[in-house]
Amino acid sequence: INGITIAGDWPRARIETILKDDSKLTARWKQALLQSVKMADDPQIKSGTRYDALRMIAMLDYETCQAQLKRYLANSKRPELQMGAVSGLGDIDCDESTLLLITAVPKMNLRNRKLAVEALLRTEARALALLKAIQMQNISEKLIDATIQKQLTEHSNTEIQKQAKRLFNQ
């Protein structure tokens, strides 16, 4: 899943394309996803495996996975599990996942915040939503590091560039 994300694709769509002609493999994948729902919440399972399970449940329909991901997103006492929720929500291309990430950014540790903000740069709509949150002071501009600020001020979309330059005084 992470490799697909790094390559710039949306994992769920890519995996569905790969599996579409193999009904047996599709059935096994669906079973693995259902098991990941249980595994993510099982305290007997190691945190690293639970992180992977959270990444996997994001491959389900948003309505099915959003409550569980939202719960772990809010749990700053378990940063590795929060990271799984951040990464999972980052892989879901919908307005609701964008809003959840934006709302949680100020409450995250540095590592998870960086992942969330990077996920918010994946599309123009997300980048604009991030800039709006900064403008509305829902996210402090101080939480956006220089690398991300540069990406925004040099973005290929001129509207994003303009807003970022105004917000970051450049």
Side-chain angles (χ1 to χ4, degrees):
I1 293 170
N2 190 46
I4 296 169
T5 302
I6 290 170
D9 231 341
W10 295 101
R12 182 176 178 196
R14 181 71 181 123
I15 290 168
E16 287 175 351
T17 299
I18 293 168
L19 298 178
K20 71 178 175 154
D21 295 327
D22 190 332
S23 60
K24 287 183 183 179
L25 193 53
T26 298
R28 288 174 54 202
W29 174 245
K30 287 179 181 177
Q31 183 60 35
L33 292 177
L34 294 176
Q35 289 174 353
S36 70
V37 171
K38 295 175 189 169
M39 197 174 283
D41 287 341
D42 188 343
Q44 302 299 316
I45 304 291
K46 291 180 181 179
S47 289
T49 303
R50 291 175 69 191
Y51 162 89
D52 291 333
L54 287 164
R55 288 295 303 260
M56 287 180 69
I57 65 170
M59 302 300 103
L60 294 164
D61 292 332
Y62 182 72
E63 295 76 30
T64 304
C65 69
Q66 64 93 15
Q68 194 172 19
L69 290 172
K70 184 177 180 180
R71 185 166 22 95
Y72 284 100
L73 186 66
N75 189 350
S76 59
K77 293 178 182 169
R78 301 295 305 264
E80 188 170 19
L81 299 179
Q82 185 183 58
M83 184 187 295
V86 168
S87 298
L89 287 164
D91 284 337
I92 300 171
D93 188 17
C94 75
D95 293 341
E96 294 87 0
S97 66
T98 299
L99 182 59
L100 285 175
L101 288 171
I102 285 172
T103 302
V105 162
K107 302 171 207 137
M108 293 179 188
N109 67 26
L110 182 62
R111 187 174 178 195
N112 288 342
R113 183 181 319 126
K114 183 171 175 49
L115 284 173
V117 172
E118 287 173 351
L120 292 168
L121 298 181
R122 288 184 73 182
T123 68
E124 291 177 358
R126 282 181 169 192
L128 288 166
L130 172 62
L131 291 170
K132 183 177 180 182
I134 296 166
Q135 180 184 4
M136 302 297 290
Q137 299 180 346
N138 295 325
I139 296 176
S140 169
E141 67 183 61
K142 295 174 184 173
L143 295 179
I144 309 302
D145 69 35
T147 304
I148 300 296
Q149 287 184 24
K150 184 176 181 183
Q151 286 179 275
L152 288 164
T153 58
E154 296 177 358
H155 200 281
S156 60
N157 178 302
T158 56
E159 182 60 28
I160 292 171
Q161 273 184 35
K162 186 171 75 174
Q163 285 188 36
K165 286 177 182 176
R166 187 175 59 246
L167 284 170
F168 302 123
N169 298 314
Q170 294 181 12

